[in-house]
Amino acid sequence: MLSVRGVCVARGGVPVLEGVDLDLEAGQALVLRGPNGIGKTTLLRTLAGLQPPVEGQIEMAPDLVAYTGHSDGVKATLTVVENLEFWARVFGQGDIAPALAAFDLEGLVERQAQNLSAGQRRRLGLARLMVTGRPIWMLDEPTVSLDAASVKMFAASVQAHCAAGGAAIMATHIDLGLDGLVLDLSPYRAIGRMSAGGFEEAFE
Amino acid sequence: MIALLRRDLVLAVRAGGGFGLGLAFFLVLSVLVPFGVGPEADVLARIAPGILWIGALLSCLLSLDRIFALDFEDGSLDLLATAPVPLEGVSVVKALAHWLTTGLPLTLLAPGLGVLLNLPPAGFGWLVISLAVGTPALSLIGAFGAALTVGLKRGGLLLSLLVLPLYVPTLIFGAQVATQGAAGLDVGTPLVLLAGISAGTLALMPFAAAAALRINLR
């Protein structure tokens, strides 16, 4: 589904990762690991199409990715249902009930998102992935502020998604108990490539 | 895209949405001007169209930075950029939502404030027409400015400086329509030019705004 060859990504014009190769097939869950600042977020944003790679090739059919970043994209003055229904409509999907059930949000549907706890809000942000209907989930630190039960809930939904022919690629530090692949990004750290190339990229 | 429009309208009228801020500013400005320039009826009648246009323009300016900044802060903009809606479409819808919550109410409110400023009777119709034709251009140019400054903290000052020069032609022709209409003169030329500005911004600004967003999201 996704094939990455020799990709170099830059943050703020400075290359952080280079020569990244990875493949993702349907049914796979790939976990990206590496120390803080290695470029996990930058790589995910590049794969999601939010920024172009400095070099290398990313091969993927269009409109496959559901991306979720550090912030949840939840509107504080909308209720849980309104938030989810909005994203379902944007992605042309109908039913939000399975997403509510998978993340145990049914008791909160009429509550405004500003009155949710951080963990509940995160669950709402993750439930959004299920209403996109997109096959590749790209998740950046999805388990932040989730408790142990919610992490299990999340792992179960990723497993169900992969079993249904989807795929997931995520940056996380904790062990989700998924029998997925792990890619350590440390060997790809960009060394000695200073901003000669990066400078151009920043002004392209 | 309709879902996005509906969401933006709901967000605007809910608590903290900023709907009413521009209207209140417009009202305050129009009420204060007669105190400032004195109560001579013929002086007020002469400056009324220009004051109302400047008031409408500044009211629009007040809420511009909300067009994209709020979605950027809570991460929605990243998600919209990866959604099946093109960013050009997002920009049009955002500008439309801004116009529906700012430009349209200002247009409807303007005749009432025209009374306070002793606007000549012949001018009311042309004032409403000129605002209805011209304020969409303000929202579209504003969406472009908001897209350019979206990543900046407290980008409001820069946004105003960027957008104000682009607003000048709209203001000149808009106020011209209202002034000439109030004086009973022919308004054809400025009205056509004003409509041309609105049509031109509708054709160009969404693409410019989308390009600026793509760069700012990197």
Side-chain angles (χ1 to χ4, degrees):
Chain A
M1 294 174 99
L2 170 67
S3 165
V4 175
R5 289 288 166 267
V7 159
C8 172
V9 298
R11 185 176 55 223
V14 181
V16 287
L17 289 170
E18 61 184 354
V20 177
D21 293 323
L22 63 87
D23 287 286
L24 193 67
E25 300 297 329
Q28 284 182 335
L30 175 65
V31 175
L32 302 177
R33 288 202 199 279
N36 291 147
I38 187 79
K40 300 184 289 294
T41 297
T42 313
L43 179 61
L44 279 176
R45 288 181 68 87
T46 308
L47 295 181
L50 287 169
Q51 62 180 70
V54 178
E55 60 180 46
Q57 297 211 318
I58 300 173
E59 279 174 35
M60 177 173 50
D63 288 349
L64 291 183
V65 171
Y67 170 79
T68 198
H70 289 240
S71 34
D72 298 313
V74 166
K75 286 289 172 196
T77 49
L78 297 181
T79 64
V80 169
V81 163
E82 285 170 332
N83 268 302
L84 271 187
E85 274 182 345
F86 164 67
W87 288 111
R89 283 206 195 95
V90 165
F91 283 89
Q93 303 288 313
D95 197 10
I96 63 164
L100 288 173
F103 286 93
D104 192 22
L105 291 164
E106 286 140 321
L108 304 168
V109 286
E110 289 305 322
R111 198 175 300 182
Q112 288 202 344
Q114 60 191 342
N115 300 328
L116 296 178
S117 77
Q120 288 167 334
R121 182 187 281 248
R122 192 73 199 165
R123 264 153 51 200
L124 174 56
L126 293 173
R128 187 190 66 84
L129 290 168
M130 294 186 67
V131 304
T132 60
R134 292 273 177 94
I136 303 183
W137 289 1
M138 289 192 182
L139 306 130
D140 196 0
E141 302 285 358
T143 54
V144 169
S145 67
L146 292 182
D147 60 14
S150 303
V151 169
K152 272 200 190 114
M153 229 183 275
F154 165 66
S157 77
V158 170
Q159 262 166 349
H161 177 67
C162 289
I169 174 164
M170 69 189 87
T172 179
H173 295 289
I174 68 163
D175 188 15
L176 286 170
L178 295 170
D179 46 351
L181 311 159
V182 174
L183 178 68
D184 187 354
L185 290 175
S186 307
Y188 300 113
R189 188 195 294 272
I191 314 157
R193 289 182 48 124
M194 272 321 284
S195 49
F199 212 64
E200 282 168 30
E201 193 271 340
F203 285 95
E204 255 171 34
Chain B
M1 301 223 312
I2 292 166
L4 181 61
L5 180 64
R6 276 176 49 182
R7 182 193 73 150
D8 272 16
L9 294 181
V10 168
L11 284 173
V13 294
R14 292 247 166 112
F19 179 73
L21 175 68
L23 288 180
F25 177 80
F26 192 35
L27 179 71
V28 168
L29 182 90
S30 310
V31 170
L32 288 183
V33 163
F35 291 110
V37 301
E40 292 91 354
D42 50 338
V43 174
L44 281 178
R46 208 168 68 238
I47 63 170
I51 293 289
L52 287 169
W53 249 94
I54 292 172
L57 186 146
L58 293 177
S59 308
C60 264
L61 201 60
L62 271 182
S63 50
L64 282 186
D65 62 334
R66 310 179 68 90
I67 296 181
F68 290 114
L70 296 180
D71 275 348
F72 181 78
E73 280 162 18
D74 66 16
S76 304
L77 204 54
D78 284 346
L79 307 181
L80 280 173
T82 54
V85 191
L87 277 177
E88 287 81 3
V90 170
S91 305
V92 173
V93 169
K94 290 264 173 193
L96 177 62
H98 180 261
W99 182 73
L100 286 175
T101 53
T102 312
L104 185 61
L106 286 175
T107 304
L108 300 176
L109 184 66
L113 300 177
V115 175
L116 290 177
L117 292 172
N118 194 31
L119 186 70
F124 283 90
W126 290 117
L127 176 69
V128 171
I129 290 172
S130 68
L131 284 171
V133 173
T135 45
L138 300 183
S139 290
L140 285 159
I141 296 170
F144 169 59
L148 272 178
T149 56
V150 72
L152 304 174
K153 301 268 181 252
R154 309 278 175 274
L157 173 65
L158 185 57
L159 174 59
S160 311
L161 289 175
L162 282 171
V163 159
L164 273 176
L166 299 175
Y167 273 4
V168 167
T170 319
L171 175 66
I172 289 175
F173 293 117
Q176 193 75 3
V177 171
T179 311
Q180 293 197 6
L185 301 171
D186 178 40
V187 300
T189 310
L191 188 58
V192 168
L193 283 167
L194 184 65
I197 291 170
S198 285
T201 53
L202 178 61
L204 290 176
M205 285 305 164
F207 295 97
L213 282 179
R214 288 203 180 92
I215 290 168
N216 275 331
L217 283 178
R218 280 185 189 177

